[in-house]
Structures are given as structure tokens and as C-alpha cells.
Amino acid sequence: MSPILTITDLHKSFGDLEVLKGIDMTMQKGDVVSLIGSSGSGKTTLLRCVNLLEDFERGSIELDGEAIGYRHEGSERRRLSERHIARQRAMTGMAFQQFNLFPHMTAIRNVMLGLTKTKKMAKDEAYAIAEKWLERVGMIERRDHFPGQLSGGQQQRVAIARAIAMNPRIMLFDEVTSALDPELVKEVLAVVRDLADDGMTMLLVTHEMRFARDVSSKVVFMHHGRIHEEGPPEQIFGAPETDRLRGFLANSEM
Amino acid sequence: MNYDFNFSVIWRNWELLAQGLGLGLFLALVSIAIGCGIGLLAAFGMLSRHRVLRWIAVAYVSAIRNTPILVLILFCYFALPQLGIALDKIPSFIFTLSIYAGAYLAEVFRSGLVALPKGLREAGLAIGLTELKIKIHIIIPVMLRNVLPSLSNNFISLFKDTSLAAAIAVPELTFYARKINVESFRVIETWMVASLIYVVACYVIAWFLRQLEQRLAVPR
């Protein structure tokens, strides 16, 4: 089976600061990969590169066999057109730490916007799909509420529905519970777990170690812009090989 | 002071004053509508990545904001025809007031845009929207709701500025007041009533705009 995501020798700098120093990674359909590591290790940047929210200078990312973001003409590397990149972005779904719901739209219109404006679906078709996903994340009764009228956990569930309604090949979760009050974390993690159980391919950046251990098929520990150690969760959490990872885990809440 | 107040000449001319008020409101409405379009373009221009666009937008905004509006009105009406752009009184005034409103609104919109969380744009990108669609469906509607109170204030200022159209004989409220004053010599009565009409009109407009703000506000 060909991988759904292939990252090869990915390099990314912000000015003089190199935050990704050659990342290689592959994911198969249905994989759930958790990126862990201290802040500044490059895990969020890696996730944002996959969604082309960040440019990268070297290396390549292939999504379902298609090179994203850039094309090569001989030895020249060119950024794809905005329209092309927009289409590729829609192949990935992203949930953000700060939810980023559109504040002037109800929950269901938030979910519908990408369907009607990117996928050019008819309104009623988009409405039906949006209803289906709001139902799935337990937000159907709040479909006509505005983001300002919802709790953080509820907003995040709507944001996840908005991303996944686009039918992405892979879902990206960027610390989706970090901005939440502790009592709201559980309801969001339950939604993520439900999607994982359903076979959704997912790449997530998380600080919830116990959750990463439960839900992941693979855990990747990043340090200073490199993959420092990776493996199945039992190995990463049960028998870490490097001192660095042991030190990181000792300082994390389990 | 011994002065016999006599308002009868004012009452006799109430139709003229009403017409003048109506025209003033019309001028302000049209100008703020056009000004919003200009202001949006200028605001995006000021925030553009392209130096030339930025420079043009900043030059426009600072040139207009640093010129007295009366000078702008006279310039457009008397000087532009010499340069081959001849407009009638009313179109000329609408042109001036729109350009003027555009420069002030550009500043309002610019700060509104800067204040938006950058996650909004990224969330739009993430669902595959292009930059233009993000602006149309997300950035502009959210920003406009946020700046609505300043927009209301600008509209009221603009309405009061329509009195300056009297300088080029546009028949709005101030123009008719001056006419009544000259013909009747009831100086105090005329200008008292004219002022009062402006005050009441501004209050009514402000009340109406507050209702609008509440209706359009994002529920929370």
C-alpha cells in the first residue's frame, strides 16, 4: 500500500533560525501519529508545513502521491499558484489551538462555508453534510449558536466538524486542547478518539501524554528540529531509549 | 437686548428646509457608501506587501486628511474643471465628500484589519479558500461589524459636513437657511432653527445607527 503522507528531508527556517533540520516521515492510511516534544522543537511548524500554512525551503511533502506546495522544473523549485495551493490545502483538515471559528457565522454556517465556497456545493447539500458532522461531534443542538455563545470545548468541536466536513485525506490537530479549561478537555479528546477509532488518518501535536499513548499508532518525539526518537506508544512511553526522551517524559504530566 | 422673535417666515419656508435636510442626508449617504469602497481599497493598500501600492494608499490618505474639507470642495468645484474634469455642483460635492470620507474610513478600516486575530485568515486557508474569498466572506464582514461604532460617528460627521456644500450653492439645509436669512433678515430665528434641525437630525441618526449596530452585532 502506498503511503498517504511522505515527508522527505524537510527543512524550514525562520530567518536565521532553522526550526526543521531534515524531517523524514511516512504515514499510511488510518495511522494516528502523535508529535510530542518541548516547545520550540518544531512540531507545530511541521504540522503547519503539511497544511502549507508555512513555506519550506528544502525537501518535499507528498500527499496521496501528489507533491504539495512546489513543483520542480529541472533544477528550479517553484511555488505552485495560489489556486493550486488552496486546492491542495483542502486535502488536509486542520484544527487549531485557538479554534478560529468565524465569529459572525452560526456553528452550522461555519461548517458549511468551505463546502459551498471551496467545493461549490449547493446550499442544501452542504447543510445536510454540516448537520451530519455537527451531530457526530455532539453539537447538533447548538447549530444556530454563534461562536461567542459557545464554550471553548464546544467551539473546538465545531471547528473539528468544520475541518472534517471537507472530507480531508488527513486531519491535523495542533494542540487542540491547550487553550481549554481542564474540565472541557475531555469532551474534545472524546471527539478526536472517536474519529481515530473510525479509521481517520491523523497527525496531532499534543501535550496530553496519556491521550497520545492511548490513541496513537505511532509516537514521534521531536527535539531541536529533528526526530529524536519514534516508535509505537508502548515503546516510547514504556521503554524510551534516549536520555533526552526520558528527561522529557519525566517532566510531563502522565 | 430688545428683540421681537418672529418665526413665521421660517414656518412659511418649512418645505425648503425639509428639502435641504433631505438633500443633506442623501449626500451623506451616497458619500459614505462610495467612501466605504474607497476606504476598503485604501486600507488594504496600506497593508499591502507591495511597496508601490502601500505608498499610493498612504499618500492619498495623508494628503486628504491634511487638507481642510472646504478647500477640497472648492478645489474640486473650481479647479478641476480647469484641468478638464468638469462636474455639476452636486456630483462634484459627492465626489469630494466621498474622497474625503474614504481617507478617514481607510484609517478606521486599517486599524480594524490589524486588530483581527490572524487565525481567522489561517482558518479560511485551511478550508481551501483563496485570499480573495477569505477577504470577502470572513475578513471584511468581521472587521465591518467591529468598526461599526466608528463608522456611525463618521457618518454623523459627514452629515454635518454637508453644510459646507452651501459654499458651492448646493441647495441643502444651510444654503436655504442663508437664503431665508438674506430675504427676511430674521437672523437669530433662522440660524437658531437651522442649528436645531441639525441637532435633532444627528440625534435621530445616532439612535437609528445604534439600533443597527445592535442588530448586526455578533451575538455573545
Side-chain angles (χ1 to χ4, degrees):
Chain A
M1 201 168 76
S2 59
I4 196 116
L5 179 73
T6 309
I7 300 175
T8 314
D9 193 30
L10 187 71
H11 288 256
K12 159 79 187 168
S13 304
F14 291 110
D16 288 339
L17 183 70
E18 196 175 27
V19 284
L20 296 178
K21 301 170 182 169
I23 301 288
D24 294 280
M25 182 193 264
T26 57
M27 283 177 71
Q28 303 291 334
K29 200 164 182 304
D31 278 355
V32 177
V33 174
S34 292
L35 299 172
I36 62 171
S38 47
S39 55
S41 60
K43 52 198 193 312
T44 287
T45 304
L46 175 58
L47 202 69
R48 289 168 59 85
C49 282
V50 176
N51 206 4
L52 298 172
L53 288 176
E54 302 289 354
D55 301 331
F56 47 91
E57 292 91 40
R58 222 168 89 197
S60 68
I61 300 177
E62 275 182 36
L63 195 61
D64 216 359
E66 183 178 335
I68 62 166
Y70 301 89
R71 71 192 151 86
H72 290 268
E73 282 171 6
S75 61
E76 260 199 79
R77 179 174 182 269
R78 290 241 174 98
R79 197 161 198 270
L80 295 172
S81 70
E82 195 208 340
R83 194 164 292 276
H84 199 156
I85 284 184
R87 190 184 62 72
Q88 291 184 332
R89 272 206 193 97
M91 291 165 40
T92 62
M94 178 108 167
F96 299 87
Q97 185 176 350
Q98 300 293 341
F99 334 132
N100 298 341
L101 287 180
F102 310 130
H104 62 308
M105 294 180 178
T106 58
I108 194 150
R109 288 202 47 221
N110 262 276
V111 182
M112 287 169 65
L113 188 69
L115 299 173
T116 54
K117 300 302 173 197
T118 300
K119 296 205 161 185
K120 317 261 187 234
M121 266 180 206
K123 272 242 162 72
D124 47 350
E125 191 187 351
Y127 193 91
I129 292 175
E131 269 193 320
K132 185 184 94 179
W133 284 108
L134 285 178
E135 173 91 63
R136 180 71 182 270
V137 300
M139 287 299 295
I140 190 71
E141 263 135 48
R142 302 285 166 104
R143 84 191 93 180
D144 295 323
H145 284 57
F146 286 85
Q149 300 169 318
L150 301 173
S151 73
Q154 292 172 329
Q155 289 188 54
Q156 191 59 289
R157 280 145 67 195
V158 173
I160 292 172
R162 174 177 70 183
I164 207 160
M166 297 295 288
N167 194 21
R169 320 270 165 93
I170 178 171
M171 267 300 292
L172 310 171
F173 294 90
D174 184 12
E175 299 188 26
V176 287
T177 58
S178 296
L180 295 175
D181 293 333
E183 72 272 18
L184 302 176
V185 168
K186 226 187 251 174
E187 66 188 55
V188 172
L189 291 184
V191 166
V192 178
R193 186 190 309 261
D194 176 49
L195 295 172
D197 291 346
D198 206 36
M200 185 81 215
T201 312
M202 310 201 301
L203 181 57
L204 36 109
V205 171
T206 185
H207 293 295
E208 302 279 338
M209 292 303 148
R210 193 173 314 168
F211 181 72
R213 181 176 201 154
D214 287 354
V215 82
S216 312
S217 49
K218 187 165 92 176
V219 177
V220 173
F221 172 61
M222 289 182 66
H223 183 73
H224 283 344
R226 290 201 173 82
I227 293 179
H228 198 77
E229 194 171 334
E230 60 185 314
E234 311 82 59
Q235 178 199 317
I236 292 292
F237 293 107
E241 284 173 3
T242 59
D243 289 341
R244 188 87 61 195
L245 177 54
R246 274 194 290 272
F248 172 76
L249 291 174
N251 286 324
S252 308
E253 266 181 75
M254 282 296 280
Chain B
M1 193 185 88
N2 224 335
Y3 188 88
D4 286 325
F5 281 95
N6 182 355
F7 287 94
S8 63
V9 62
I10 314 271
W11 305 145
R12 253 182 286 132
N13 284 305
W14 73 269
E15 253 176 290
L16 287 184
L17 294 175
Q19 270 176 33
L21 175 66
L23 182 60
L25 283 172
F26 170 78
L27 293 172
L29 265 175
V30 175
S31 302
I32 200 155
I34 302 173
C36 275
I38 300 173
L40 269 179
L41 289 179
F44 282 119
M46 283 194 281
L47 298 172
S48 167
R49 270 177 300 145
H50 303 284
R51 202 154 29 130
V52 179
L53 282 181
R54 223 160 48 220
W55 193 86
I56 293 172
V58 170
Y60 156 68
V61 170
S62 28
I64 299 297
R65 297 207 339 156
N66 290 308
T67 311
I69 171 124
L70 185 57
V71 172
L72 284 176
I73 294 166
L74 299 176
F75 180 85
C76 289
Y77 189 59
F78 293 113
L80 282 189
Q82 307 289 322
L83 302 168
I85 310 167
L87 289 173
D88 247 4
K89 283 185 293 223
I90 291 182
S92 169
F93 183 74
I94 289 177
F95 175 79
T96 312
L97 204 58
S98 303
I99 297 272
Y100 177 74
Y104 279 85
L105 293 177
E107 271 301 325
V108 171
F109 294 156
R110 192 194 60 80
S111 45
L113 290 172
V114 171
L116 290 180
K118 86 176 180 356
L120 279 184
R121 173 175 161 268
E122 292 189 345
L125 289 174
I127 54 172
L129 297 179
T130 56
E131 297 281 358
L132 182 65
K133 282 183 180 170
I134 291 172
K135 284 191 176 74
I136 293 173
H137 297 291
I138 304 167
I139 300 296
I140 294 176
V142 175
M143 182 276 287
L144 281 181
R145 279 174 174 78
N146 292 346
V147 303
L148 215 52
S150 334
L151 215 55
S152 300
N153 290 340
N154 269 276
F155 180 72
I156 289 174
S157 296
L158 226 47
F159 168 66
K160 288 186 295 179
D161 290 339
T162 58
S163 68
L164 291 164
I168 55 170
V170 171
E172 46 63 66
L173 181 53
T174 303
F175 173 86
Y176 281 127
R178 199 161 58 175
K179 184 165 146 50
I180 294 167
N181 172 35
V182 168
E183 287 169 5
S184 69
F185 297 107
R186 308 300 323 181
V187 182
I188 299 181
E189 291 88 335
T190 310
W191 294 111
M192 239 166 82
V193 170
S195 308
L196 199 67
I197 295 176
Y198 277 113
V199 169
V200 172
C202 286
Y203 260 94
V204 173
I205 296 169
W207 179 86
F208 182 75
L209 289 175
R210 259 203 314 279
Q211 306 304 306
L212 192 71
E213 279 166 29
Q214 277 163 21
R215 282 193 59 165
L216 289 179
V218 172
R220 51 179 66 252

